[in-house]
Amino acid sequence: MHLHKYEKIWLTFGIGSLVLFLAVLGVAAFAFGQQPPSHMASVDSQNLEDTVFAEPGLDQINEDTYRARIVALTYGYSPDTIEIPAGSTVIFEVTSQDVVHSFTIPGTNVNMMITPGHVNMTEHTFTEPGEYLVICNEYCGTGHHYMQMKIEVTP
Amino acid sequence: MLQSNLAYKLPLTEEPAHVASKDAKLSFVHVVVAFFAFLIGILGGLLQGLARGGIIELPAWLGYYQILTAHGVLLALVFTTYLIFGFFFAGMSRTHGAFSDRLRKMGWAGFIITTIGTLMAASMIIANEASVLYTFYAPLQAHYIFYSGLALFVVGTWVAGAAIMAHYFQWKKEHPGEPTPLFGFMATATLILWVVAGLGVAATVLGQMLPWALGMTDEINVLLSRTLFWYFGHPLVYFWIMPAYMVWYLVIPKVIGGRLFSGSLARLAFILFLLFSIPVGFHHQLMEAGITEFWKYIQTVLTFVVVVPSLLTAFSIFATFEQTGREQGGKGLFSWIKKLPWGDVRFFAPFMGMLVFIPAGAGGLINASFQLNAVVHNTLWVVGHFHLTVGTTVILTFFGMAFWLIPVITGRRLTKSMNRSGMVTTWLWTIGMFLMSGAMHILGLFGAPRRTAYTTYQDHPQAMSWFEGIFASHITVAIGGVILTAAGILMFYNFIYLAWFAPKGETEFPMTPDPDDTPHTPALLENWKLWIGIAVVLILFAYTIPIYDMIVNAPPGSPAFNNLIR
Ligand code: HEM
Ligand SMILES: [Cu+2]
Ligand SMILES: [Cu+2]
């Protein structure tokens, strides 16, 4: 098969940048730990009262780190508000008691799918005080557009 | 850039080629279903745009998510699939000779099964028993008739696809040692992709959802069903784009009065699409639990391999343009561009589609970029993205195709005024999409969710800002939607006119003469067993371990939630 000279240049350049790009993604992921939320723990979505999600809410882990265990449900989250001081890092552990939802804080990189039976995890440091909106961006039924909670970040 | 290609030394001869009239009829019924689905689909799109923008309120008997389900199913599945099969039946008849009666009957059987499936699914959507959107994620549960309809839809396309592939392989058998006609080669690659991908959706619908909706099983493995869906869902987008590429590779060169640059490169590109568009579904599941980072990354790497055939395609198409422009006397670096037939809708509409594919493809790279996906996943950005790719690149290419395909199969002529009407349609669609999709992209970056009815989240300032931007606003989306709908209705009118009212006459099915490298087509490229084998190996590599893990380490399954969708 004949390749035109310009085609060779074009493909070499294209494939070269592709390899470089994938290497950058790979290094960011596996050397610097910038991974998409892919937690492997599972739970029984129909019996959350027998799990660590029996009493969802906020735990302080150390001075400025918290763990928020949150249950997504049609159409809201439990708890529906959490409050933390500015500068805190929050580790979110979220699961669903019914259908598929998401846990999304617009304006941040917190955006993960919440599938029943699985616990998904991510973390975020809230530097600016204010009232953060949490929404569900996966269709979960006729009331999907009402599903929200709040994170109060106090100064 | 100077091309030294021999094309102009070969005569641009053409065998007298027709679409056999019985095949034309089979093609025509597909096109008719496609355009009626299109009309209903875009009216749904209009309502969505207006409702989300808070400009209208939907009546109580019509749900936002019900319309959205219809919109997705009718446009992304029904319109595209029917038009593609209409194109394939006509094109195969034109390039491989008339179908045998046996194979044509099989084609009709496929059409009938697919259509029964479509009507079953549609009736459940209308009855509000299936507002689960076109991705039907469990454990939201639709009526079992909806799932049965989907299964019939897929099976019907397999039957029709088998007829087309059998026609191709028969030609191959009758012409041993000859390279097969490009049209048949490309259609076959597309259909193999469709069949292999369809196995995933058939597995989840028949193996998981239907028994569960019928009450035969109590629980469903949600992650597995999502994975099987996306095993199908990504190749689905290639099932749309490959026929559009066929128009670019095979039809456009003839429309502009030239010849395709290289046949072998075209074949290679299609084989690469076949190999690398299936083992990549995880890039739609990057944000979910239960799949390890490792397998997500592997599939991300495989995803990006499609850059290679995309580059091949871009090169081939522009080389063909340049070669043709120069043959017709275009000189200098760029003046050949002036020689292209800008006023011909058969060229201009697909060309606008190609142009849009440049930013659309760049957006796709962002979506698939592993960590970056968190910023855009399930936001309006994604909706903006696929309204550019399928909603503009593919759609405008199909619009352009309609202006010769319909007259060919109805024995009519494309008139000057129809051509003008097509040009207006193309401009309106492009402008409408610029507004709608542009605003969706930016809103998505600001976090506005997709698949969400009108809401201000109790007047939260962040959600309010999505209505208040000058360009980045749900209002812009709605305005773009109105313009698009106008374009769509005009296109429907064009279809009606071309199908039943245009003056009778002969119309050419434009098909590039064989590229001059045809005699040197490497036999390897035609070795289908080899390519299917490699495709299977890649799929097994990318999916075996994660799917095994999903089954063996599955959490307790989910019961049905069917009250939430009414
Ligand atoms: C008049 C033209 C169109 C308009 C006004 C329009 C409008 C819209 C809007 C506003 C949404 C997003 C709703 C949401 O996420 O809440 C949407 C979704 C969608 N559109 Fe369109 N659209 C049009 C044409 C098309 C075409 C031609 C296609 C494909 C061939 C298409 C495929 C889709 C798909 C697949 C979805 C996603 C459905 C889902 O999320 O379940 N649209 N459209
Ligand atoms: Cu939701
Ligand atoms: Cu994809």
Side-chain angles (χ1 to χ4, degrees):
Chain A
M1 193 167 39
H2 172 74
L3 277 189
H4 192 276
K5 188 174 106 213
Y6 289 116
E7 176 134 34
K8 278 186 198 142
I9 298 172
W10 167 250
L11 282 179
T12 312
F13 174 75
I15 297 172
S17 12
L18 178 63
V19 170
L20 183 72
F21 175 75
L22 287 171
V24 171
L25 291 189
V27 169
F30 295 99
F32 295 97
Q34 289 173 17
Q35 297 281 11
S38 316
H39 201 52
M40 296 304 284
S42 60
V43 290
D44 181 353
S45 63
Q46 298 312 296
N47 292 297
L48 289 181
E49 58 280 7
D50 301 335
T51 70
V52 292
F53 288 95
E55 280 171 42
L58 200 64
D59 295 316
Q60 189 155 15
I61 295 177
N62 63 33
E63 198 184 340
D64 48 12
T65 311
Y66 295 80
R67 177 178 56 219
R69 287 206 169 109
I70 293 169
V71 176
L73 49 109
T74 50
Y75 299 104
Y77 299 88
S78 167
D80 65 2
T81 313
I82 56 176
E83 202 179 305
I84 43 158
S88 311
T89 298
V90 183
I91 301 166
F92 294 99
E93 292 182 12
V94 190
T95 193
S96 164
Q97 71 173 43
D98 40 50
V99 297
V100 181
H101 300 280
S102 93
F103 183 87
T104 303
I105 311 178
T108 72
N109 286 344
V110 176
N111 183 12
M112 58 182 175
M113 301 300 296
I114 312 301
T115 36
H118 299 270
V119 181
N120 215 351
M121 254 177 88
T122 190
E123 60 176 63
H124 185 70
T125 303
F126 293 87
T127 45
E128 294 291 322
E131 185 191 278
Y132 288 74
L133 176 66
V134 179
I135 62 173
C136 170
N137 68 15
E138 182 57 87
Y139 172 62
C140 52
T142 46
H144 159 63
H145 47 291
Y146 300 119
M147 184 160 168
Q148 62 174 311
M149 69 173 277
K150 285 190 182 113
I151 300 175
E152 303 277 0
V153 179
T154 53
Chain B
M1 176 163 93
L2 261 172
Q3 297 291 337
S4 64
N5 201 290
L6 300 166
Y8 60 92
K9 289 181 188 152
L10 295 167
L12 289 171
T13 50
E14 217 194 317
E15 73 285 23
H18 296 282
V19 177
S21 64
K22 286 182 176 173
D23 298 336
K25 216 164 148 197
L26 178 55
S27 166
F28 183 60
V29 289
H30 283 92
V31 173
V32 171
V33 176
F35 274 100
F36 278 92
F38 175 76
L39 181 68
I40 308 171
I42 58 161
L43 294 177
L46 174 69
L47 293 180
Q48 286 152 218
L50 294 174
R52 266 201 89 139
I55 295 169
I56 61 164
E57 212 172 305
L58 293 174
W61 49 269
L62 193 59
Y64 182 83
Y65 303 106
Q66 185 181 7
I67 303 175
L68 189 55
T69 307
H71 181 76
V73 169
L74 287 173
L75 290 169
L77 299 176
V78 178
F79 169 69
T80 48
T81 305
Y82 276 87
L83 205 57
I84 289 166
F85 275 93
F87 175 45
F88 281 7
F89 277 114
M92 288 303 288
S93 184
R94 157 77 168 78
T95 54
H96 291 61
F99 280 76
S100 68
D101 285 346
R102 191 180 62 87
L103 289 183
R104 191 180 311 107
K105 272 200 196 110
M106 206 165 143
W108 276 103
F111 171 78
I112 292 166
I113 300 171
T114 311
T115 306
I116 293 173
T118 305
L119 293 174
M120 283 165 69
S123 64
M124 289 299 108
I125 297 172
I126 292 168
N128 200 23
E129 292 288 336
S131 298
V132 288
L133 308 188
Y134 83 115
T135 45
F136 49 94
Y137 291 142
L140 287 175
Q141 191 190 64
H143 197 283
Y144 69 87
I145 294 180
F146 177 75
Y147 299 119
S148 316
L150 291 179
L152 285 181
F153 181 91
V154 172
V155 170
T157 61
W158 287 353
V159 174
I164 293 168
M165 287 191 278
H167 195 45
Y168 167 78
F169 282 107
Q170 197 158 348
W171 191 100
K172 195 164 149 70
K173 213 167 90 195
E174 286 164 8
H175 301 77
E178 279 181 54
T180 51
L182 271 169
F183 190 96
F185 182 95
M186 293 171 138
T188 299
T190 309
L191 289 169
I192 293 175
L193 170 101
W194 176 248
V195 172
V196 177
L199 293 172
V201 73
T204 181
V205 169
L206 293 176
Q208 292 190 283
M209 296 186 174
L210 202 50
W212 172 67
L214 287 167
M216 288 152 61
T217 51
D218 296 333
E219 292 181 342
I220 189 163
N221 182 333
V222 171
L223 185 58
L224 180 63
S225 72
R226 294 170 65 81
T227 301
L228 290 171
F229 179 84
W230 284 114
Y231 163 91
F232 158 80
H234 187 74
L236 172 66
V237 313
Y238 281 88
F239 176 67
W240 302 328
I241 207 86
M242 285 160 76
Y245 282 172
M246 286 168 68
V247 174
W248 299 4
Y249 271 114
L250 304 178
V251 173
I252 300 294
K254 185 63 199 293
V255 170
I256 65 178
R259 148 192 329 267
L260 173 62
F261 180 69
S262 157
S264 301
L265 287 175
R267 287 176 212 257
L268 177 64
F270 267 56
I271 292 294
L272 291 175
F273 284 128
L274 169 61
L275 297 184
F276 289 99
S277 60
I278 305 178
V280 297
F282 282 169
H283 69 229
H284 293 262
Q285 299 176 278
L286 290 174
M287 295 300 124
E288 65 197 66
I291 307 169
T292 63
E293 291 94 342
F294 176 75
W295 289 106
K296 287 179 181 173
Y297 184 68
I298 292 286
Q299 293 208 5
T300 299
V301 172
L302 291 173
T303 301
F304 278 100
V305 176
V306 298
V307 168
V308 177
S310 308
L311 291 177
L312 284 174
T313 302
F315 189 90
S316 283
I317 303 298
F318 281 92
T320 305
F321 287 173
E322 188 189 342
Q323 172 184 291
T324 308
R326 287 193 190 286
E327 276 164 37
Q328 294 173 353
K331 300 241 159 41
L333 207 49
F334 290 116
S335 70
W336 51 270
I337 294 175
K338 289 200 216 96
K339 298 285 175 187
L340 296 171
W342 295 106
D344 183 342
V345 67
R346 299 172 309 159
F347 168 73
F348 184 68
F351 180 85
M352 292 306 267
M354 295 174 192
L355 217 55
V356 167
F357 210 47
I358 298 169
L365 295 181
I366 294 176
N367 299 342
S369 293
F370 215 46
Q371 302 91 347
L372 268 184
N373 184 258
V375 181
V376 296
H377 179 76
N378 266 355
T379 68
L380 273 180
W381 165 283
V382 176
V383 187
H385 168 70
F386 60 68
H387 279 91
L388 289 186
T389 50
V390 61
T392 308
T393 301
V394 172
I395 291 293
L396 284 182
T397 302
F398 287 178
F399 281 4
M401 171 171 93
F403 286 91
W404 53 263
L405 180 64
I406 300 173
V408 163
I409 58 183
T410 55
R412 293 175 192 278
R413 275 190 300 112
L414 168 59
T415 58
K416 268 217 171 81
S417 65
M418 232 335 90
N419 185 70
R420 216 173 307 125
S421 175
M423 297 293 288
V424 174
T425 310
T426 307
W427 275 114
L428 280 178
W429 191 273
T430 310
I431 294 165
M433 206 49 99
F434 172 78
L435 294 173
M436 183 173 96
S437 173
M440 283 175 164
H441 273 91
I442 304 175
L443 285 169
L445 290 180
F446 293 156
R450 71 180 286 199
R451 300 182 146 177
T452 300
Y454 173 75
T455 175
T456 58
Y457 293 106
Q458 300 175 349
D459 294 346
H460 191 282
Q462 194 156 17
M464 297 299 278
S465 74
W466 300 330
F467 292 88
E468 289 158 0
I470 294 181
F471 180 78
S473 156
H474 287 307
I475 309 295
T476 317
V477 172
I479 295 171
V482 170
I483 299 174
L484 276 168
T485 309
I489 291 173
L490 186 55
M491 188 61 213
F492 186 77
Y493 162 77
N494 298 340
F495 151 71
I496 295 284
Y497 182 82
L498 289 169
W500 288 290
F501 299 102
K504 293 264 177 194
E506 277 280 307
T507 295
E508 171 206 18
F509 186 131
M511 179 61 56
T512 176
D514 283 341
D516 36 286
D517 66 350
T518 306
H520 312 294
T521 305
L524 187 68
L525 284 173
E526 303 246 349
N527 188 341
W528 291 103
K529 285 192 192 118
L530 173 73
W531 301 121
I532 295 173
I534 296 179
V536 170
V537 168
L538 282 169
I539 291 166
L540 291 177
F541 164 66
Y543 273 113
T544 308
I545 295 176
I547 287 194
Y548 174 82
D549 202 47
M550 277 171 209
I551 295 172
V552 173
N553 296 323
S558 288
F561 292 89
N562 51 15
N563 53 332
L564 300 177
I565 60 168
R566 296 201 189 102

